[in-house]
Amino acid sequence: MTRTSDAQGGQVTLCRDGLPGWLEPVVRAAETVQPLQLSRFLPPENGSGRQSAVLILFGEGERGPELLLMERAGSLRSHAGQPSFPGGALDPEDGDPQGEGPLRAALREAQEETGLDPSGVQLFGVLPRLYIPVSGFVVTPVLGWWRRPSPVGVVDPNETARVFTVPVADLTDPANRATAVHPRGHSGPAFLVESALVWGFTAGVIDRLLHYAGWERPWDRGKQVPLDWHA
């Protein structure tokens, strides 16, 4: 399956040719997973919500497969200080939100936030759109393979505190897994990796990807990590 469209600096393409074999379970998961299998929070039926996209970028580092994450600046109005995938709201020039818009937005935002060179990224899948009630974002998760890695780092410290990669082996390690509990009572999966607590939307998507890709290992769901009221 390939989708191509003109974009700033080149073309946006969705292509599965030449992916490494270890990504095949992720490809299969993207083809079959249903929205409610990823989250109970789905886009409002009335079409409200701000259209956005995130880039779930898989690379291969010294310790094997890894994911690119960033930590949002503590001064931001929404999700301050949280580790997250690169991403953000669609701009008008990104195009159709129901078409190529999320692909362009995911790459554009990743470049703006981490300095990533989009030409080295092969987009290979799109997960069902999800909803973040606290911020009103309708999020399209875009899957990418970091075919030609490029240097990444903080571009604007007002938006990003740091940029880092996490080995998938660390994400699947039961010792690094926990349940994050918010003072309001809700809870969800969390990962304690790279001196960071990954929780919320990002952790939920990672958790479901690991599960449906068959990479998940049994872990202690009773191990809890409390969040503070600022979370």
Side-chain angles (χ1 to χ4, degrees), residues 74-99:
S75 58
L76 293 176
R77 286 188 301 172
S78 63
H79 310 293
Q82 271 191 255
S84 67
F85 302 116
L90 269 66
D91 285 346
E93 58 266 29
D94 292 324
D96 183 5
Q98 306 300 321

Side-chain angles (χ1 to χ4, degrees), residues 57-145:
L57 184 60
F58 289 90
E60 190 150 10
E62 294 180 357
R63 297 181 52 211
E66 60 186 17
L67 275 177
L68 178 68
L69 296 177
M70 50 173 274
E71 188 173 306
R72 295 169 59 82
S75 58
L76 293 176
R77 286 188 301 172
S78 63
H79 310 293
Q82 271 191 255
S84 67
F85 302 116
L90 269 66
D91 285 346
E93 58 266 29
D94 292 324
D96 183 5
Q98 306 300 321
E100 74 281 357
L103 304 183
R104 290 178 175 173
L107 289 175
R108 176 183 54 75
E109 287 283 342
Q111 183 178 26
E112 292 175 0
E113 292 174 330
T114 74
L116 173 79
D117 181 358
S119 68
V121 176
Q122 177 180 339
L123 301 181
F124 65 87
V126 175
L127 297 178
R129 292 189 304 158
L130 304 174
Y131 187 58
I132 304 180
V134 67
S135 57
F137 280 108
V138 174
V139 185
T140 300
V142 179
L143 300 168
W145 159 237

Side-chain angles (χ1 to χ4, degrees), residues 177-181 187-188 190 192 219-227:
R177 305 213 54 182
T179 297
V181 181
S187 63
L192 296 100
W219 57 282
D220 181 7
R221 297 173 188 270
K223 176 184 175 182
Q224 296 186 347
V225 177
L227 302 171

Side-chain angles (χ1 to χ4, degrees), residues 191-202:
F191 300 84
L192 296 100
V193 290
E194 300 298 323
S195 303
L197 174 64
V198 184
W199 62 282
F201 173 85
T202 302

Side-chain angles (χ1 to χ4, degrees), residues 128-219:
R129 292 189 304 158
L130 304 174
Y131 187 58
I132 304 180
V134 67
S135 57
F137 280 108
V138 174
V139 185
T140 300
V142 179
L143 300 168
W145 159 237
W146 210 351
R147 177 176 289 280
R148 294 190 308 276
S150 55
V152 291
V154 173
V155 175
D156 183 354
N158 293 317
E159 291 193 4
T160 308
R162 66 173 175 140
V163 177
F164 58 101
T165 57
V166 180
V168 171
D170 286 351
L171 294 168
T172 59
D173 186 343
N176 297 332
R177 305 213 54 182
T179 297
V181 181
H182 196 278
R184 292 188 177 90
H186 56 264
S187 63
F191 300 84
L192 296 100
V193 290
E194 300 298 323
S195 303
L197 174 64
V198 184
W199 62 282
F201 173 85
T202 302
V205 173
I206 293 174
D207 171 77
R208 293 296 81 196
L209 270 179
L210 296 179
H211 176 77
Y212 288 109
W215 293 346
E216 184 180 37
R217 297 165 58 190
W219 57 282

